[in-house]
Amino acid sequence: DAGVIQSPRHEVTEMGQEVTLRCKPISGHDYLFWYRQTMMRGLELLIYFNNNVPIDDSGMPEDRFSAKMPNASFSTLKIQPSEPRDSAVYFCASSPSGTSPYEQYFGPGTRLTVT
Amino acid sequence: GDSVTQMEGPVTLSEEAFLTINCTYTATGYPSLFWYVQYPGEGLQLLLKATKADDKGSNKGFEATYRKETTSFHLEKGSVQVSDSAVYFCALAYSGGYQKVTFGTGTKLQVIP
């Protein structure tokens, strides 16, 4: 299996621009997670989906952030408009259901820089 | 609520030294415990896990024992290598339908030749 795929790996944009991050989970995994990692706040869960349905978006920082999962093999995280404080590494992870305890498989991350 | 506390880093060791990274947790139930590792430029990957009290998780020479009485899950390795340099995250999660994992803040390990 190719693992979790994220694109782009690096994104540099100017404040006010729209940013779209993409994720392809591992085939057959029912859960998809979006995390943000910064030096100041560590690893934060933003939102997660089960069978393409958002289950918990309490970690989404504000209305500028939105996430979708139109099908089992694709998810997007959008920031509009972007701000310098959104600069971070954004990780997508997926995991299977059925057995416990669950292991999350992380993608390589997208490093976002907003200038 | 649930939380995970890790020792502050960075931890700097010479090659072949003994490693301990402390982790304690606060939980409302009976979670499973994990150690994840993040190598430079990569995402996190599961290193080891333990599902109940007194279980020992092990992988790649690393070990951690689930201690319910001290609410701890300390990571140990007898002889570290330069290739072990990474950030280590302690985490907890519950079995069942709720998939959320609670991560600690991470501890950076630097191993010097």
Side-chain angles (χ1 to χ4, degrees):
Chain A
D1 201 314
V4 176
I5 298 172
Q6 292 187 247
S7 63
R9 293 294 310 275
H10 301 273
E11 177 79 38
V12 179
T13 191
E14 293 183 347
M15 183 175 63
Q17 297 298 305
E18 178 179 295
V19 176
T20 300
L21 311 181
R22 298 173 175 80
C23 175
K24 177 178 170 56
I26 293 173
S27 176
H29 283 192
D30 302 301
Y31 289 85
L32 184 138
F33 306 80
W34 282 102
Y35 290 90
R36 179 172 67 177
Q37 185 179 40
T38 62
M39 290 292 291
M40 292 296 294
R41 300 174 67 90
L43 193 65
E44 304 172 277
L45 176 65
L46 301 178
I47 185 172
Y48 81 93
F49 296 82
N50 177 215
N51 292 324
N52 314 336
V53 176
I55 302 300
D56 183 351
D57 65 354
S58 60
M60 296 286 264
E62 47 197 280
D63 292 345
R64 297 184 297 105
F65 285 70
S66 63
K68 294 182 179 180
M69 192 165 186
N71 57 62
S73 59
F74 184 66
S75 177
T76 59
L77 178 67
K78 185 176 295 186
I79 309 172
Q80 166 63 17
S82 58
E83 297 183 3
R85 60 194 169 115
D86 301 331
S87 297
V89 180
Y90 290 82
F91 288 103
C92 176
S94 68
S95 69
S97 61
T99 59
S100 62
Y102 308 109
E103 173 183 348
Q104 295 190 6
Y105 295 77
F106 282 72
T110 295
R111 181 174 295 278
L112 173 65
T113 303
V114 183
T115 61
Chain B
D2 299 334
S3 66
V4 176
T5 302
Q6 294 181 231
M7 60 189 292
E8 292 282 335
V11 174
T12 302
L13 295 173
S14 298
E15 206 165 21
E16 299 184 1
F18 185 86
L19 168 70
T20 300
I21 299 178
N22 291 337
C23 170
T24 57
Y25 67 90
T26 302
T28 54
Y30 301 96
S32 297
L33 300 176
F34 307 82
W35 277 100
Y36 279 78
V37 58
Q38 183 181 25
Y39 297 104
E42 299 183 10
L44 282 70
Q45 55 185 276
L46 182 66
L47 179 60
L48 53 85
K49 62 188 177 188
T51 60
K52 61 184 186 298
D54 299 326
D55 270 2
K56 177 185 285 187
S58 62
N59 186 25
K60 299 182 180 180
F62 291 89
E63 293 182 340
T65 301
Y66 190 161
R67 302 288 188 197
K68 185 179 175 182
E69 63 276 12
T70 55
T71 62
S72 65
F73 193 54
H74 304 321
L75 182 68
E76 297 182 335
K77 186 175 185 183
S79 177
V80 294
Q81 305 299 313
V82 172
S83 57
D84 294 327
S85 298
V87 181
Y88 293 81
F89 292 86
C90 187
L92 66 82
Y94 292 93
S95 301
Y98 193 60
Q99 278 273 3
K100 186 174 179 179
V101 177
T102 300
F103 287 93
T105 53
T107 302
K108 184 175 182 178
L109 170 66
Q110 297 175 317
V111 181
I112 300 170

